[in-house]
Amino acid sequence: MTEAMTDLSGKRVLLGVTGGIAAYKAAELVRGLRKAGADVRVVMTSGATRFITPLTLQALSGWPVRQDLFDPAHEAAMGHIELARWADLVLVAPATADFMARLAAGMADDLLTTLCIATETRVFLAPAMNQGMWRNPATRDNAAVLGRRGIGLWGPAEGDQACGETGPGRMLEADELVLRTARVLKEGTLGGVRVLLTAGPTREAIDPVRYITNRSSGKMGFALAKAFRNQGAHVELVSGPVDLSPPAGVELVSVEQAVDMESAVMERVVGCDIFVACAAVADYRPVKVAHHKIKKDSESMSIELTRNPDILAGVTALRDRPFCVGFAAETQHPEEYGERKRISKGVDMIAANLVGGDQGGFERDENALTVLWEGGCTFLPMSDKGRLAEALVQQIVERYEANSIEDPRSPPR
Ligand code: PMT
C-alpha cells in the first residue's frame, strides 16, 4: 500500500464500531486511518464496549469516543446531527448482523443508527459475523435492502472464523478498509472508470418538418449520468433531442436519429468500461425521407418503414465489450419480459420499467425499476429519478465489481 494510494489528509471519517469479536480490529483501523492523515471520530455501540474499551479508541483517535445519544456534555460540544454532517464518510466496522438489521429496519434507537440515518454522506459497512449468520436469509435480505438504499458493503471475506468455523463472515483487514476509504474519498467508487450512456428519444425524419419519435424526456438517462459522475466515473452521454442540460462534468453528444446515435456510440465505446442503454431508440425509420414538405394531396398516405440498428445488441456483440446494462420498456410483466430481453440482448444487467398508463416511466419525474442479472433480481420502488438513478448505479457497481473479480482479464478496482 503506497502513501499516495492512502492519502486521507484533511478527510473526516466517522468510524462506527459495533459489538462483535472483530471489534478488536477497530484499534488497528483507527491507527491506519490516522496514519493516512484522516481526522477520525469514533462512535461505539454498547455491545462494542464489551469487546474493546472506549479508552483504547480514544487514545488512538485523539478524541473522546461517543456512545450515548442522550449525553448532554457531548451534545453540547457537537450534537449528533452536527456529527452526522461533519463526516466525509461513515464507516461501520465491524458491522454485526444485529446492526445491519436495525439499520435496514430504519431504526434510530442508538447513537450510531441515528447518525447513519441522519448523515447525507456515504455510509459503508464492513460486516463481520459467523458464516451461518451471514448466509441466513434475514441477513441476506437486510444486506439487499441496505444496498438498494445506497449503503455500501465492504466484504465480508471468507476464511477461518473466531468461532472455529470457516466461511464468509470475516471483517476485511484494516489495511484494505483504509485503502477503500481513501479510494472512495479521493476518486469516488468509480474513479478511473469510463461510462458511456444513451438517453432520450430518437427522431426519425419523414420530411424536413415531420418525424416519428416517442415520449422519452431523457430524465432517467440524465439522472444516471449524474449518479455515475457522483461516483467519480468519466461519463459520456449520447442523447437524442431533449430539453435538459447535461450535468456538470458530463460530456454530452447530441444526436437526432437512431443511426447517428449508433455511430456516436460505436465511435466512443472502445475502451469504455460500462455501457448503459437508457435511450428509447425508435425501432423503425422511414425508408425515404422527402426532401420537401409532403403535401396533403391525398386522403390517406402510408410511410414505409425499415428497422433501425439495435445499438445495444451491436455493443454486446463486440469482442472486447464493456459491462453492458440495458433497459426494457414494457407495458406489462416487467420481470418476465425484462428477463427475456436480458437473455436475448446478451446484457449483464437489465432494468425493466413500465411505460404507458399512470405508472409509466416516460416523461414523469418518478419511476420504478425491476433490475435483473444472471441469478439475481431486485426491485427499486417508485421514487424520483435522481434517487432511483443512485440506487441503480449502486446495483451496477456491485455487479460490475463482482464481474471484474470473476473475469481475471479485468482486475477488480
Ligand atoms: O426518458 P424518460 O422520460 O426519463 O423515460 C425513461 C425511459 C422509460 C425511456 C427509460 O427508463 C427506458 O425504459 N429506456 C429504454 C426504452 C426502450 O427503448 O426500451 P426497449 O425495451 O424498446 O429496448 C430495450 C433496450 O435496447 C434498451 O436498452 C434500448 O436503449 C436498447 N435499444 C433498443 C432499440 C434499438 N434500436 N437500439 C437499442 O439500443
Side-chain angles (χ1 to χ4, degrees):
M1 192 164 49
T2 68
E3 231 168 74
M5 282 163 87
T6 54
D7 182 14
L8 283 166
S9 322
K11 300 295 181 192
R12 299 182 294 207
V13 178
L14 183 62
L15 177 67
V17 184
T18 71
I21 181 61
Y24 79 91
K25 292 187 186 173
E28 208 187 323
L29 182 54
V30 174
R31 277 196 67 209
L33 291 167
R34 287 289 307 275
K35 199 169 159 217
D39 187 355
V40 184
R41 307 288 165 97
V42 180
V43 174
M44 296 175 81
T45 62
S46 60
T49 61
R50 311 285 281 267
F51 291 91
I52 182 169
T53 70
L55 198 59
T56 306
L57 299 184
Q58 173 175 320
L60 292 169
S61 68
W63 290 96
V65 168
R66 304 275 300 258
Q67 299 172 60
D68 189 0
L69 184 55
F70 305 107
D71 179 334
H74 274 130
E75 282 296 307
M78 190 196 269
H80 61 277
I81 297 294
E82 227 180 309
L83 186 57
R85 292 200 181 125
W86 168 87
D88 294 318
L89 181 143
V90 177
L91 170 60
V92 181
T96 59
D98 171 70
F99 180 77
M100 288 174 65
R102 286 189 292 124
L103 199 57
M107 293 178 76
D109 57 348
D110 64 6
L111 180 59
L112 190 54
T113 45
T114 305
L115 288 168
C116 288
I117 284 178
T119 189
E120 287 179 8
T121 192
R122 291 216 61 194
V123 177
F124 292 87
L125 309 184
M129 64 197 73
N130 162 269
Q131 54 87 22
M133 292 171 78
W134 174 252
R135 288 193 168 115
N136 188 288
T139 310
R140 311 302 307 139
D141 284 352
N142 290 333
V145 166
L146 294 169
R148 284 204 291 276
R149 291 191 197 139
I151 292 179
L153 292 187
W154 284 344
E158 291 217 19
D160 295 340
Q161 301 206 295
C163 55
E165 294 177 14
T166 303
R170 281 173 63 89
M171 188 172 103
L172 294 186
E173 294 305 324
D175 271 3
E176 176 66 24
L177 293 173
V178 175
L179 198 65
R180 289 187 185 213
T181 303
R183 200 173 72 198
V184 168
L185 287 175
K186 208 168 155 199
E187 306 178 335
T189 323
L190 292 175
V193 171
R194 275 192 60 202
V195 176
L196 181 63
L197 285 147
T198 65
T202 61
R203 270 182 193 168
E204 311 301 328
I206 297 170
D207 69 13
V209 294
R210 302 181 181 97
Y211 51 76
I212 298 169
T213 192
N214 59 60
R215 292 181 180 279
S216 171
S217 62
K219 286 177 187 169
M220 191 71 241
F222 275 57
L224 277 167
K226 187 172 175 186
F228 273 115
R229 181 213 61 189
N230 288 348
Q231 293 298 329
H234 175 269
V235 184
E236 288 173 281
L237 177 60
V238 179
S239 176
V242 294
D243 199 11
L244 298 170
S245 306
V250 169
E251 220 171 287
L252 177 68
V253 183
S254 298
V255 294
E256 284 240 342
Q257 310 196 105
V259 288
D260 302 330
M261 187 174 271
E262 186 199 31
S263 310
V265 164
M266 288 307 176
E267 274 167 30
R268 288 165 179 80
V269 76
V270 178
C272 116
D273 302 293
I274 300 175
F275 174 65
V276 183
C278 186
V281 185
D283 290 316
Y284 294 90
R285 68 179 182 280
V287 171
K288 284 187 194 143
V289 180
H291 290 300
H292 297 286
K293 187 180 168 195
I294 299 170
K295 297 287 178 200
K296 46 180 185 291
D297 298 331
S298 50
E299 278 309 303
S300 66
M301 71 173 287
S302 48
I303 302 169
E304 194 188 343
L305 302 176
T306 183
R307 276 291 283 271
N308 265 329
D310 188 320
I311 302 168
L312 179 56
V315 173
T316 58
L318 292 172
R319 209 165 139 252
D320 280 326
R321 72 183 185 87
F323 184 85
C324 290
V325 183
F327 269 71
E330 308 294 345
T331 51
Q332 57 180 340
H333 311 307
E335 190 170 335
E336 185 189 332
Y337 293 166
E339 180 62 3
R340 280 191 211 166
K341 241 174 222 175
R342 181 186 74 76
I343 294 166
S344 67
K345 298 229 177 198
V347 289
D348 298 290
M349 287 177 93
I350 204 148
N353 49 193
L354 288 170
V355 290
D358 290 348
Q359 297 293 300
F362 275 126
E363 291 173 306
R364 294 155 40 107
D365 289 333
E366 298 89 31
N367 198 9
L369 294 168
T370 304
V371 188
L372 302 143
W373 60 94
E374 193 179 352
C377 169
T378 192
F379 179 66
L380 304 179
M382 190 64 74
S383 63
D384 75 85
K385 286 179 177 169
R387 287 185 75 86
L388 187 65
E390 278 170 19
L392 178 57
V393 166
Q394 177 72 27
Q395 293 294 326
I396 295 173
V397 168
E398 275 176 33
R399 298 311 315 152
Y400 168 69
E401 289 189 340
N403 202 61
S404 305
I405 291 164
E406 283 154 21
D407 179 358
R409 285 170 306 166
S410 45
R413 290 188 38 73

